[in-house]
Amino acid sequence: KIKEGTGGHGGGDALLLADIFRGPGDDWLERSANWLDGIRAIAEAVRRYGIEGVIATNTSVSREGVEHLAHANEAGGLSGAPVRERATRVLKELSSLLPDTTLIGAGGILCGADAAEKRAAGARLVQLYTGLIYRGPNLVGECVSACTACSRP
């Protein structure tokens, strides 16, 4: 896995990490949901280095949508429901730019409908984090059922 942090560095870090860590089985690039402006650069790096899959996306340092909450200014990545919509926008854009790359939808999947939304946006797989913590293992079956019911074109 090639993992880039959530800092504000732009596309250059992805290229540097790919140069340093590229090897058999290390063909995954993980990005943060608040980098909508760098999506084209990410897609170019994925194509250039033959990266086989992209996790799009999990956490964000943005506090958009939670500014009104008491602990909104705490440090660290934000995950779960607040990142779902932005993560899905990133996924959809990556899907249009990388039609032959395996995309893994993550970020804000708290129910089966959220997983089906990621599949509809272009994910071949979905990855559960926060939802699994709050909902437990029953969420897995719910997501499988929802994704099976909504076949992707």
Side-chain angles (χ1 to χ4, degrees):
K1 181 191 280 190
I2 302 167
K3 183 174 181 178
E4 181 168 343
T6 58
H9 303 297
D13 290 339
L15 301 179
L16 177 62
L17 287 172
D19 287 339
I20 293 170
F21 296 109
R22 181 109 165 105
D26 291 335
D27 295 333
W28 300 96
L29 176 65
E30 185 172 318
R31 296 295 300 209
S32 175
N34 56 314
W35 289 33
L36 279 169
D37 294 337
I39 297 301
R40 283 189 174 31
I42 294 166
E44 178 57 33
V46 168
R47 285 190 292 272
R48 180 180 299 138
Y49 293 101
I51 294 171
E52 297 171 353
V54 177
I55 300 170
T57 67
N58 183 36
T59 62
S60 177
V61 294
S62 169
R63 293 302 187 255
E64 182 182 329
V66 298
E67 308 93 341
H68 62 284
L69 298 177
H71 301 289
N73 292 325
E74 288 185 5
L78 184 65
S79 64
V83 301
R84 185 185 57 77
E85 185 178 314
R86 281 176 288 164
T88 303
R89 285 195 323 255
V90 169
L91 177 63
K92 189 171 187 173
E93 183 66 19
L94 282 171
S95 179
S96 71
L97 296 169
L98 300 168
D100 299 322
T101 301
T102 298
L103 299 178
I104 303 168
I109 301 174
L110 301 173
C111 65
D114 296 338
E117 176 185 61
K118 300 293 187 199
R119 293 271 297 153
R124 291 191 191 151
L125 304 165
V126 295
Q127 185 170 337
L128 305 176
Y129 283 121
T130 305
L132 192 58
I133 292 167
Y134 287 109
R135 297 277 318 279
N138 289 335
L139 177 60
V140 175
E142 184 180 321
C143 290
V144 169
S145 294
C147 289
T148 302
C150 301
S151 62
R152 234 176 84 222

